[in-house]
Amino acid sequence: MFSSLGLFKEINCPEQPHCSLTGCIFAHPVLATLQTDAEDDIKHTTSRKRQRLNEDGDSLDMPAPISRLRSPVTKVDNATAKFPTASVTTSREISPPPLRDEAKVKVKGPTPAPKCSPEHQNLPSTLRATSPADTASPVSLNPKMIPHPPAAHAIRMQLITLIYEQMLRLNEEAQQDREHPEPALLLSGQELILEALKEEENVAKQSPAVYLNVIKLRIVKLKKMKLADWKKERFKRIADCAPVDMQVKLKGKSKSIETGLSSSEEVAFLSRILAKQEPLAKYGYVPKTPTEEEVAKAREGVEAAQAWEICDRCKTRFQVFQGRREEDGALTSGGQCSYHPAKPRRPQQRDKADRSNKEPFFACCNESVGESPGCTKAGSHVFKVSDPKRLSLSMPFKVTPPKVITPGPDRAVCFDCEMGYTTIGLELIRLTAVSWPNGEELLDVLVRPLGEILDLNSRFSGVFPDDYANAIPRGGDNTDCEGEEKRQSSKPRLQLAESPFVARDLLFELITPETPLIGHALDNDLNATRIIHPSLVDSVLLYPHPRGLPLRHGLKALMKTHLDRDIQMGGVDGHDSKEDARAAGDLARLKVADMWKAMKRDGWTVREKEFFPPIPNIPTVAKP
């Protein structure tokens, strides 16, 4: 196709006045006759339409002035600049659409659900099945986009509509129930839509291979569901969203632990489940202090690296500036860190017929691995040091010193540490110790790290900047300088240890080399405190992963599985080291109870804190 270069702009279009081309290469001069004819057409068209009248007899159709109907379009290009006489402006009149009475317009779509009652609106957000959707932007029955949908969009939308219709029916029956009214169970229109969307999305993500079967079974169940069953389901949904303390009251007490032994006998029994560090050295445990030659070699490696590290979260390479960078005072390079706080996991196979290849996803945001750079942003990159030789550069390892047993031999110690990221690595910021088996608090202090703080890791450590601001110096009085705001806070003020060295010495005052030290994943806690202790009871080793180390169960999962107890439910407030220490002690006590039960069945006995095997029956020999 050749380029016109504006050569035909002076020639009138042969198709005028009926030319409809938007980019016609010919000229279209403005003719008064065309404008007059267009106005006449509009008048005749308007007069032919039947006017709609309201109850008072007034016309509902608002005639628009002709000036509003003209839409002048001016074309200006290089051709008009070369040929001034060919400047063209066309005016075209457009017939307006007929005005409609909005009050009589019917909107297609699902029937709106009844608004929730005032009692439901006044419920706390933790007792609502879904977030209050009335104040947010309205949501339609449109399936949510997922990476690999199990069915076509039209099919998903049809199934969601069927689910919504049945939920709407049950919700209306609950509203019309006058004998047993339950206002808190009613859902608004937006909440019903969100419930239907969420239910369909969960099935699409968790069971994509049998998606249609699961959805159809759910629709059939809703069709046959009675009002009483719907109320039970709503009560269960609300209970699942309730606070942790309320859930505990609803569920009742967790599994109790009965060992059948006294406290001193339980401590004596711990010698049978002690772990040895030597075979575990390749999994992070440090059985002996690194030599001076090894430490010197590690120092040379650090100097050669010139403070370049790899981020522990997003795996980005960045540089650390001890004492801050002179130009801008920054502690690290690389800017912000985008990462996922949760580890990737694979969906569990809930049906034997599900043979699909399930892609791993992040539990924090449900995004598939590789599709999102991160759902959380941090101010700077962070790093962690795991090599014992390099750990010794900032704080040498120390074996638990022997001393006279002051606390008594009938006590073990459970301890847990919280760590935060600094310019040295992952450092100790809180140390907690409780006695075992009674769980009495022995030590709970904040620790001032050696390096500059990059991130307190509050999501997991539970330590915030305000905790350091409100901390009490070690040996100070916590009742003199408490202001009104601090007294109103439910979080207790902790004493502050000036360094990790001070915190380690405080722990050494409570233990000896023979004192059993109980915890979960003790390699992390011992490396943070730089302690080498010979008597260890680690719940990771007591309840190993089926596939062995380095895979290990989390403390939260172990407590839920073996004791039916929920811990670490603080959410954004992080973990509580005191709760974790006592939880590890309860797991050790449960192991003692199970082992002693089996030993008693085999005939073992205990006398004065000593355990004796069954005496074999010696056959008597008849005298000749």
Side-chain angles (χ1 to χ4, degrees), residues 164-176:
Y164 173 83
E165 290 175 353
Q166 297 305 318
M167 287 185 173
L168 178 61
R169 174 185 63 83
L170 294 168
N171 194 60
E172 289 177 348
E173 291 180 5
Q175 186 187 26
Q176 297 171 2

Side-chain angles (χ1 to χ4, degrees), residues 262-479:
S262 63
S263 298
S264 58
E265 291 172 346
E266 289 179 5
V267 174
F269 194 91
L270 286 179
S271 60
R272 297 180 173 274
I273 58 176
L274 293 179
K276 296 181 180 180
Q277 294 188 17
E278 285 77 7
L280 303 174
K282 57 182 178 180
Y283 299 116
Y285 293 82
V286 182
K288 60 181 181 179
T289 305
T291 62
E292 295 182 359
E293 292 78 8
E294 293 174 339
V295 175
K297 189 175 181 179
R299 183 178 291 106
E300 294 176 359
V302 171
E303 293 175 354
Q306 298 180 355
W308 283 93
E309 305 289 348
I310 297 179
C311 183
D312 190 36
R313 293 168 170 169
C314 66
K315 309 307 177 185
T316 300
R317 196 164 181 262
F318 69 103
Q319 192 174 15
V320 181
F321 306 105
Q322 297 286 346
R324 299 185 179 274
R325 187 164 52 185
E326 295 181 359
E327 297 82 27
D328 53 2
L331 292 172
T332 60
S333 64
Q336 289 186 337
C337 175
S338 299
Y339 67 100
H340 291 282
K343 295 181 179 179
R345 62 177 63 177
R346 289 186 178 273
Q348 295 182 356
Q349 185 176 356
R350 300 190 176 185
D351 197 301
K352 293 182 178 180
D354 188 0
R355 301 295 182 183
S356 60
N357 183 18
K358 298 183 178 298
E359 296 183 356
F361 67 97
F362 293 100
C364 51
C365 59
N366 292 330
E367 291 288 342
S368 299
V369 176
E371 293 187 356
S372 172
C375 60
T376 306
K377 291 186 178 295
S380 64
H381 298 284
V382 295
F383 71 101
K384 175 184 177 181
V385 178
S386 302
D387 186 11
K389 299 181 286 296
R390 188 176 171 186
L391 289 173
S392 300
L393 294 177
S394 58
M395 182 178 176
F397 280 86
K398 188 175 182 180
V399 181
T400 305
K403 63 182 181 64
V404 179
I405 302 177
T406 54
D410 297 335
R411 187 185 69 187
V413 174
C414 305
F415 96 117
D416 185 72
C417 299
E418 302 294 347
M419 283 76 78
Y421 292 100
T422 71
T423 54
I424 296 179
L426 194 62
E427 282 198 73
L428 175 69
I429 57 176
R430 184 179 177 183
L431 175 62
T432 304
V434 297
S435 63
W436 190 88
N438 56 14
E440 179 184 356
E441 179 182 332
L442 301 176
L443 178 66
D444 192 8
V445 293
L446 288 176
V447 182
R448 190 188 304 277
L450 299 176
E452 292 90 347
I453 295 176
L454 298 177
D455 190 344
L456 289 174
N457 203 23
S458 303
R459 182 186 181 95
F460 300 101
S461 67
V463 179
F464 293 85
D466 291 342
D467 297 330
Y468 278 97
N470 301 329
I472 308 165
R474 180 66 182 168
D477 189 1
N478 60 350
T479 59

Side-chain angles (χ1 to χ4, degrees), residues 84-105:
T85 58
S87 60
V88 180
T89 303
T90 60
S91 298
R92 179 177 296 175
E93 289 74 19
I94 304 173
S95 178
L99 300 177
R100 297 182 297 175
D101 187 2
E102 295 182 357
K104 298 181 180 180
V105 175

Side-chain angles (χ1 to χ4, degrees), residues 73-192:
V73 179
T74 303
K75 296 185 178 181
V76 180
D77 53 8
N78 296 333
T80 58
K82 294 180 181 179
F83 307 98
T85 58
S87 60
V88 180
T89 303
T90 60
S91 298
R92 179 177 296 175
E93 289 74 19
I94 304 173
S95 178
L99 300 177
R100 297 182 297 175
D101 187 2
E102 295 182 357
K104 298 181 180 180
V105 175
K106 294 183 179 180
V107 180
K108 293 183 179 181
T111 307
K115 292 185 178 180
C116 55
S117 61
E119 294 85 347
H120 186 218
Q121 293 286 358
N122 295 330
L123 282 175
S125 60
T126 52
L127 293 181
R128 299 284 295 271
T130 55
S131 58
D134 299 330
T135 58
S137 58
V139 182
S140 61
L141 282 174
N142 193 22
K144 294 185 178 180
M145 300 298 294
I146 58 177
H148 301 286
H153 184 84
I155 296 177
R156 293 181 63 196
M157 192 168 184
Q158 183 180 3
L159 295 174
I160 289 176
T161 305
L162 294 175
I163 294 175
Y164 173 83
E165 290 175 353
Q166 297 305 318
M167 287 185 173
L168 178 61
R169 174 185 63 83
L170 294 168
N171 194 60
E172 289 177 348
E173 291 180 5
Q175 186 187 26
Q176 297 171 2
D177 186 12
R178 304 302 180 188
E179 297 181 0
H180 305 285
E182 297 289 349
L185 302 182
L186 300 181
L187 293 172
S188 65
Q190 283 295 296
E191 289 174 339
L192 278 172

